[in-house]
Amino acid sequence: MTLEKPSNVEADEKLSMLFSSTDVSRLGQLANVEDHDTGKLASLHRHPLACAWSIYAVWVVLLVSFENQAGGNVIGIPEFRKDFGHAYTAEDGTTSYVIDATWQSAFQGAPIASAVVGALGCGQIADWLGRRAVVMICLVITFAAVTMEFVATTNGLLFGGKFLNGFATGALASVCVTYIGEIAPLALRGMLTCMTALAYTLGPLIVAIIVNSTGVYANRWAYRSVFCAQYGFAIIASIFVYFMPESPWWLASKSESEQALMALNSLGHRGIEGEKKLAQILTTLEEVERETDGATYLECFRFSNFRRTIISIAPLSIQSLSGIVFVASYFTYYMQLAGFSTAMSFKLQIVQQVLSLIGNVMSWYLIDRIGRRNLTLWGLVVLTAILFAMAACATVGTPGGLKGAVAMILLYSWSYNATIGATAYTLLCEVSTSRLRVKTIAIGLALQNGLNTMWSFILPYLFNPDELDLGGKLGFIFGALSVICVVYLWSYQPETAGRSYEELDEMFIKKVPARKFKSYQTETRRKNGAAKQKERSL
């Protein structure tokens, strides 16, 4: 029986040294059986190191979320506008400081644009150098970029720092999500990938707390404290990256079976368990090789990979289309327009982030209990109703109506993070083809950043009082887009909970309809059952 890729003699020799005459396919089947039979608590007990390194990857993603939120929040700090803007005298004679629209768009839009390049470039580099090497390179770039932001006294230098940091954050977002999907135990894969979304709520919460404390300072530390805080995240990430095990999936894809086994040992898969896990990885990679030959970006759109790419990246794009950019970027400003004081708007922003955090923690349980498809689909249905309710309250236009719209935004923040805000990252990891995972994730994040860039330029003209002045009535636009997205999810989103990567590969290759995924009996599972029965009889 074939032990590894038939065309790779060297890999076969290495594999024979590792497993002697043991049947690799049978070992992989036994590993699949153990994955399905092991519950959450048992997985946590058996694989604490894999869980710990997944949490480390979530910590690295904090750099991404912190930088993204800091870029928008510092513009709301008066001292920042004074140092990087110019004086503006209103008709009533009052003088304030504003930042030129050109620079404001540059500070917010350019880092997102460079993040698109970083994400796509990461897909190729991570398959060339490995996941760990990309994290190291990005951390070096982050230190340089944050230093430029921290010492900047001119718009040009600040722009350079933020633009440079965009490359690093785009790459880190891609590679960290990939890494979690590759090392997380099956029973905990949903929860650990959901924790990626936790970073996107915890980072903004920390930014909001810092701005609430230092934003009123009458010196440069009013905004420099935000930039300085990024050093803390980067330093901790840099300390641990040297001990970070490389992804065994990447090593196995490079025919480095011995190194892959060593990486599995570092992740807690020791002895025969590590050999079974490696056999499972090799079997899965061999089965999908025919449809991912070459592992280029083009392969993401060939054969069954095209369907998988669309299903993987669609939930991330739906996040942008369902209004999260408006909720995340304009909430403080909208509260002030609704009659809340500046101090109260800062405090309610903290409440918003706390609700987002609670929603994400709830998703850890819901994603396996309710399922990926149902939580994404019905979660978006709830968000659509909230958006239309927000728009209706804003249309009334009374002080009570505007405060009702603010309440809907708070409810949206909680619901979003309990549902599609978390499930999108799990689906991105699970559905993408094993050998194309990092590239598919890069495409998804690049497309999402592209949509966010579009909204960053369009929303000011739709929202601002001196333009179309839609305010909360933007809920009608995002609600209508969400209805279209609900139809897509109902028709094409499959259920992937509890499925191994080998099972998912089989179902997509066989073109199983989305609505039959949950009940479909795979050949892989049948073989696993036979292997389990055979092992018991021995």
Side-chain angles (χ1 to χ4, degrees):
M1 181 175 289
T2 302
L3 298 182
E4 216 201 309
K5 302 175 184 177
S7 60
N8 197 322
V9 177
E10 181 183 358
D12 282 337
E13 292 175 351
K14 289 182 178 181
L15 199 55
S16 298
M17 292 173 59
L18 287 171
F19 299 136
S20 301
S21 60
T22 304
D23 187 335
V24 175
S25 178
R26 178 172 169 271
L27 279 177
Q29 290 166 7
L30 292 175
N32 260 322
V33 171
E34 291 177 2
D35 283 348
H36 284 94
D37 289 348
T38 306
K40 287 184 171 60
L41 290 178
S43 291
L44 182 60
H45 178 73
R46 291 178 59 181
H47 308 295
L49 290 176
C51 296
W53 284 111
S54 295
I55 293 173
Y56 166 77
V58 173
W59 176 271
V60 176
V61 176
L62 272 172
L63 285 170
V64 181
S65 65
F66 195 97
E67 169 64 17
N68 291 346
Q69 189 70 17
N73 275 26
V74 294
I75 294 177
I77 299 175
E79 193 66 23
F80 180 84
R81 296 197 301 269
K82 178 181 178 182
D83 290 346
F84 293 92
H86 63 272
Y88 170 77
T89 303
E91 294 181 357
D92 60 1
T94 59
T95 301
S96 60
Y97 289 90
V98 297
I99 296 177
D100 289 336
T102 302
W103 281 114
Q104 186 173 342
S105 297
F107 292 155
Q108 293 186 351
I112 301 177
S114 60
V116 173
V117 179
L120 293 175
C122 160
Q124 197 66 38
I125 297 173
D127 275 344
W128 174 38
L129 298 177
R131 294 20 172 171
R132 180 170 175 264
V134 170
V135 174
M136 286 183 171
I137 293 171
C138 289
L139 287 174
V140 172
I141 295 175
T142 293
F143 276 110
V146 171
T147 300
M148 292 173 66
E149 294 177 12
F150 180 74
V151 303
T153 56
T154 65
N155 288 5
L157 184 58
L158 180 66
F159 168 81
K162 300 192 78 60
F163 187 72
L164 181 62
N165 219 1
F167 291 106
T169 56
L172 286 174
S174 297
V175 76
C176 289
V177 174
T178 302
Y179 186 74
I180 294 171
E182 291 178 336
I183 70 171
L186 176 62
L188 296 172
R189 193 172 64 200
M191 185 185 76
L192 291 173
T193 49
C194 275
M195 289 184 69
T196 303
L198 174 68
Y200 288 99
T201 61
L202 188 58
L205 173 61
I206 297 172
V207 172
I209 292 173
I210 294 174
V211 171
N212 185 59
S213 302
T214 66
V216 294
Y217 289 179
N219 54 50
R220 294 186 183 275
W221 281 102
Y223 55 88
R224 276 185 170 175
S225 58
V226 179
F227 299 142
C228 187
Q230 294 181 81
Y231 281 121
F233 295 108
I235 288 172
I236 294 176
S238 299
I239 292 173
F240 287 98
V241 73
Y242 293 101
F243 306 99
M244 173 185 175
E246 183 54 85
S247 166
W249 284 85
W250 178 77
L251 291 169
S253 72
K254 296 297 182 180
S255 300
E256 299 290 346
S257 298
E258 292 182 77
Q259 286 78 5
L261 187 58
M262 292 174 60
L264 286 168
N265 291 338
S266 300
L267 291 167
H269 302 276
R270 297 187 174 89
I272 187 62
E273 182 185 346
E275 295 177 358
K276 290 178 181 177
K277 193 67 179 177
L278 177 57
Q280 181 189 34
I281 293 172
L282 293 171
T283 301
T284 303
L285 291 174
E286 182 179 355
E287 289 181 355
V288 301
E289 182 182 11
R290 292 187 301 274
E291 297 216 353
T292 59
D293 186 31
T296 64
Y297 276 110
L298 183 61
E299 299 304 317
C300 294
F301 302 96
R302 295 177 67 239
F303 306 117
S304 66
N305 300 327
F306 177 71
R307 181 189 177 198
R308 299 182 74 162
T309 299
I310 297 301
I311 294 174
S312 296
I313 68 178
L316 274 183
S317 298
I318 291 172
Q319 286 182 346
S320 296
L321 296 174
S322 62
I324 188 58
V325 178
F326 166 70
V327 172
S329 302
Y330 286 87
F331 182 55
T332 303
Y333 186 21
Y334 187 66
M335 282 188 291
Q336 294 171 4
L337 294 178
F340 291 92
S341 66
T342 301
M344 180 57 69
S345 67
F346 282 147
K347 289 180 173 59
L348 284 176
Q349 185 184 30
I350 295 176
V351 172
Q352 179 194 27
Q353 300 305 334
V354 170
L355 288 173
S356 298
L357 189 65
I358 293 172
N360 179 260
V361 173
M362 290 176 64
S363 73
W364 303 352
Y365 170 78
L366 295 174
I367 194 164
D368 288 317
R369 181 68 175 178
I370 297 178
R372 281 70 157 147
R373 171 187 163 89
N374 285 338
L375 192 57
T376 305
L377 172 63
W378 298 112
L380 186 59
V381 169
V382 172
L383 292 177
T384 303
I386 293 173
L387 286 168
F388 281 122
M390 177 188 75
C393 291
T395 301
V396 173
T398 63
L402 292 176
K403 291 181 179 180
V406 169
M408 289 297 103
I409 294 176
L410 291 173
L411 182 59
Y412 177 101
S413 299
W414 170 78
S415 300
Y416 171 87
N417 284 282
T419 57
I420 190 171
T423 60
Y425 296 98
T426 301
L427 291 168
L428 187 63
C429 289
E430 288 184 336
V431 179
S432 52
T433 308
S434 302
R435 294 184 71 244
L436 298 173
R437 186 170 294 118
V438 68
K439 289 182 171 63
T440 305
I441 291 173
I443 292 171
L445 291 170
L447 178 58
Q448 185 190 50
N449 281 323
L451 289 171
N452 290 344
T453 302
M454 176 195 72
W455 288 124
S456 69
F457 285 101
I458 292 177
L459 282 177
Y461 297 98
L462 299 177
F463 176 82
N464 284 350
D466 59 342
E467 298 292 344
L468 290 181
D469 193 23
L470 292 181
K473 287 177 282 190
L474 279 168
F476 287 126
I477 296 176
F478 291 117
L481 292 172
S482 296
V483 169
I484 299 173
C485 295
V486 166
V487 173
Y488 161 79
L489 292 174
W490 175 265
S491 304
Y492 298 107
Q493 187 63 53
E495 179 56 71
T496 59
R499 298 288 190 175
S500 67
Y501 289 132
E502 188 176 0
E503 287 183 278
L504 292 173
D505 290 336
E506 177 186 335
M507 287 191 286
F508 277 109
I509 290 173
K510 291 183 176 180
K511 301 180 180 180
V512 176
R515 297 187 189 179
K516 293 184 178 180
F517 259 62
K518 187 173 183 180
S519 59
Y520 186 80
Q521 294 297 315
T522 63
E523 184 70 15
T524 299
R525 185 162 294 189
R526 188 192 65 77
K527 290 179 180 179
N528 293 345
K532 183 177 181 180
Q533 192 69 27
K534 184 177 180 180
E535 184 182 36
R536 287 176 176 174
S537 64
L538 294 177

